[in-house]
Amino acid sequence: MPGTKRICFIVVARIGAWVGSTFCACYAKLVDQSFIDRVIHYNLDPRDLTSSANTYSNLQECSLAFCPNLHRNRLRVGTCKWQDKPASAKVHGYHGITLSPIAPTSACLHCIQERQSLFKPPVTVYDKYQSLSHRVHTYTPLSKSQASDQQLFHTTKKDMDSLVQHLHDPNSISYISQEAAAAIDELLMGPLGFSVDQLMELAGLSVASAIFEAYPVQANNRVLVICGPGNNGGDGLVAARHLHHFGYSLSVCYPKRTDKPLYHGLVTQLESLSIPFLLEDELPSILSSFDVVVDAIFGFSFRGQPRPPFDALIQKLVGLPNVVSVDIPSGWHVEEGDINGIGLHPDMLVSLTAPKLCARKFKGLHHFLGGRFVPPLIAEKFGLKLPPYPGTSQCVWIGKLPSIDVGSLRENYVGAVLLEEHLNADPFSQFKEWFEDAVAMGLPEPNAMTLATANKEGHPSARMVLLKGYDEHGFVWYTNYGSRKALELASNPWASIVFFWERLHRQARITGCVEKVSSEESDEYFHSRPRESQIGALVSAQSTVIAGRHVLDQAYEDLQSRYADKSIIIPRPDHWGGFRLQPEAFEFWQGRESRLHDRLTYTKEMAVDKSNWVIHRLAP
């Protein structure tokens, strides 16, 4: 029988080797090499690209070798570095995983770190799969129309009106009493079937999401969460876990631990993430070292005066910057606010379910509402007026917007670089690469561009339009030939277009002479538009003064009736068609640290038989 075992072992081993080689071959077929080249070119750590395991299958093609410091099939943070980079990678020093010129013999599908990317992965462009391990087998880029149909952030006009209203009128939102808050919780955890741990998870996620919105992780990395003994403390423990996964460096102070399985589990989860728990006696000397402090001490059920050790803790937090209170600022009366003058006055408040009455007295910079779980039955029963949550957000800004110091608004561009050796010799190819990057990242309207024109006296004007086509002959958009931009182009055909892809920190500026496209091109595009848009082109005499909105609405209704029969072709009006900008110069701009941006230009150099593009670098 030992011989039989040996034969079985050889057969199994050979089958395993065949399956492994076939699997790696399938990897190669699934690779979109240009996609991973761009991921690397963005200067991103691939561990942060949690949106798709196919990223790692692409790295397989780039000769992925796994770090020897593996722990439970996951790469340890900061233990590896990029080396022996393939020529196509265009990298200049990264950390994360090791690239080797020798192809590996195996691959782990579970090596992606469970961290949220700060660079918003392209979740709207790639299909959504059931599980991480299946994504590599079903890598399927969506068409532009499919991606449009699956937009992540979709807000109706009604919701948008409501969002705008509550920002300017705080009274358009309900503020509830302590009794109403308790009754809502009782109803949620009774007939409506919620458990306390479900509500705690949703509340903690809301708090973490709001902090991520108000205090970006790049500038506010160190966070301390101080938790009380009740449900509010539980919300803080959940928020700490989510903040860790969002990329923050967390510490927790939990002086009086609740002796219940739910809370034991929350503590164990944080300990498994190596999040340190601090003693309250340690805080005075280190409080100033934290960028954000979360007050999750007392919630809406608190009554009376704070008792030790929380009374002293609260006093240590008074006057500290960037304090975030969960639902109720600790030390406040739930309905009347800081009546004893001993409570916190935080910079940020995250109200849960609905803001409590004391929140009317909140004067801090940021006020968010979280707890996206209130069903219509409760809203109707308690007469709640709550703002809609935009898209998939777990929090929404409420209250008046603070005064804005425009001069202090700035973004520090970090990450990608643009060097001469990265550029295509042909500017049209370079634009194509950048434009496709913007589409792949799921940016909204990546074809939106500023069109700048001037009249014959040189007086400029600019507006946003949509690019509808481009090739080696130029860049095309469509408009009304009676509009201001069209009339200016008729008298002065020179114009510039500018694309800004904010998430990539990129701009592309193109200057040239403009001409009308052919009638055939205009006809073809006009009839490719939705029927409603075709009617809109007939209705609007663009840039002319009209008596009111009703003029447009009535004309639109009349034409809808005239062309109700879908078999009738709507004729393209003579006053509507396309323009093409024929480039004379390009500039590609990449945001960099300290405002030392990369600016590379292409200009035409005329030769005897052809024109060449000459590349120059400009000072930022």
Side-chain angles (χ1 to χ4, degrees), residues 433-478:
E433 181 180 311
W434 274 27
F435 183 76
E436 289 177 353
D437 289 344
V439 173
M441 287 294 286
L443 304 187
E445 294 198 316
N447 59 329
M449 61 185 188
T450 300
L451 168 64
T453 58
N455 61 20
K456 61 183 179 182
E457 287 81 24
H459 299 161
S461 63
R463 75 289 291 158
M464 300 301 297
V465 298
L466 295 177
L467 178 71
K468 288 303 178 180
Y470 68 93
D471 56 22
E472 67 277 10
H473 301 296
F475 296 80
V476 175
W477 68 93
Y478 292 87

Side-chain angles (χ1 to χ4, degrees), residues 30-315:
L30 292 167
V31 165
D32 177 352
Q33 181 65 47
S34 64
F35 176 77
I36 192 60
D37 282 352
R38 291 170 197 157
V39 170
I40 296 172
H41 184 58
Y42 295 154
N43 205 352
L44 305 185
D45 182 343
R47 292 170 304 153
D48 286 335
L49 294 175
T50 58
S51 62
S52 58
N54 59 289
T55 296
Y56 276 84
S57 72
N58 291 333
L59 285 172
Q60 166 90 8
E61 181 72 3
C62 289
S63 302
L64 175 63
F66 291 100
C67 172
N69 300 311
L70 287 172
H71 178 65
R72 294 184 182 177
N73 291 333
R74 287 190 170 48
L75 293 171
R76 287 182 177 176
V77 175
T79 57
C80 309
K81 60 183 179 181
W82 295 88
Q83 63 184 23
D84 298 323
K85 296 169 278 293
S88 62
K90 305 177 182 174
V91 293
H92 301 277
Y94 298 81
H95 60 88
I97 59 178
T98 303
L99 285 176
S100 166
I102 301 173
T105 56
S106 63
C108 170
L109 293 179
H110 303 286
C111 60
I112 294 179
Q113 288 288 324
E114 296 172 357
R115 294 169 54 198
Q116 174 164 323
S117 169
L118 304 182
F119 289 87
K120 299 277 196 314
V123 292
T124 58
V125 175
Y126 294 94
D127 207 349
K128 301 173 178 65
Y129 310 105
Q130 293 97 342
S131 68
L132 189 64
S133 60
H134 290 141
R135 293 181 186 176
V136 69
H137 302 290
T138 55
Y139 173 71
T140 310
L142 299 180
S143 69
K144 188 175 179 182
S145 60
Q146 286 174 307
S148 165
D149 292 340
Q150 297 185 22
Q151 283 188 14
L152 187 61
F153 302 106
H154 175 69
T155 305
T156 65
K157 182 179 183 301
K158 179 180 178 183
D159 287 348
M160 186 60 70
D161 290 343
S162 179
L163 282 168
V164 172
Q165 180 189 9
H166 87 260
L167 288 175
H168 296 283
D169 180 14
N171 294 321
S172 65
I173 295 178
S174 298
Y175 290 75
I176 61 175
S177 65
Q178 186 177 40
E179 182 181 358
I184 289 172
D185 265 14
E186 185 177 345
L187 190 55
L188 286 168
M189 290 184 284
L192 294 181
F194 284 89
S195 60
V196 64
D197 53 329
Q198 281 181 308
L199 296 177
M200 199 172 284
E201 184 67 30
L202 291 168
L205 177 58
S206 298
V207 172
S209 299
I211 291 171
F212 187 85
E213 292 286 336
Y215 298 106
V217 67
Q218 301 98 317
N220 306 276
N221 185 255
R222 297 203 64 198
V223 178
L224 170 66
V225 181
I226 304 177
C227 301
N231 289 347
N232 211 30
D235 296 342
L237 295 173
V238 173
R241 168 162 42 81
H242 286 292
L243 288 168
H244 169 84
H245 290 302
F246 289 175
Y248 293 87
S249 176
L250 264 294
S251 297
V252 175
C253 179
Y254 191 18
K256 285 196 172 183
R257 302 192 178 188
T258 304
D259 190 17
K260 292 181 180 179
L262 170 59
Y263 295 86
H264 293 321
L266 294 176
V267 169
T268 300
Q269 292 163 18
L270 297 181
E271 290 174 340
S272 72
L273 297 172
S274 300
I275 293 175
F277 280 77
L278 308 177
L279 300 175
E280 60 268 27
D281 295 338
E282 300 177 67
L283 295 186
S285 61
I286 61 173
L287 268 178
S288 60
S289 67
F290 293 100
D291 301 306
V292 177
V293 177
V294 180
D295 157 36
I297 301 175
F298 299 127
F300 70 80
S301 59
F302 174 77
R303 296 175 185 272
Q305 298 287 326
R307 290 179 290 184
F310 298 109
D311 53 351
L313 266 179
I314 291 171
Q315 291 311 303

Side-chain angles (χ1 to χ4, degrees), residues 298 302 304-307 310-319 329-333 337-345:
F298 299 127
F302 174 77
Q305 298 287 326
R307 290 179 290 184
F310 298 109
D311 53 351
L313 266 179
I314 291 171
Q315 291 311 303
K316 290 184 177 72
L317 299 182
V318 171
S330 289
W332 283 30
H333 186 282
D338 186 20
I339 54 177
N340 296 315
I342 59 172
L344 291 177
H345 289 269

Side-chain angles (χ1 to χ4, degrees), residues 512-579:
C513 195
V514 178
E515 65 178 10
K516 289 183 178 179
V517 306
S518 67
S519 297
E520 291 76 18
E521 284 183 79
S522 292
D523 286 340
E524 182 180 359
Y525 175 71
F526 181 81
H527 292 113
S528 73
R529 306 177 85 205
R531 199 169 176 84
E532 293 79 8
S533 298
Q534 295 179 37
I535 293 175
L538 290 170
V539 165
S540 176
Q542 196 175 112
S543 300
T544 60
V545 176
I546 58 175
R549 176 73 198 188
H550 66 279
V551 174
L552 294 176
D553 293 338
Q554 185 58 55
Y556 185 81
E557 289 179 16
D558 293 344
L559 285 174
Q560 270 194 318
S561 300
R562 183 188 303 179
Y563 294 109
D565 184 350
K566 299 296 176 63
S567 65
I568 300 175
I569 297 176
I570 301 174
R572 176 181 67 86
D574 293 336
H575 63 258
W576 192 95
F579 284 103

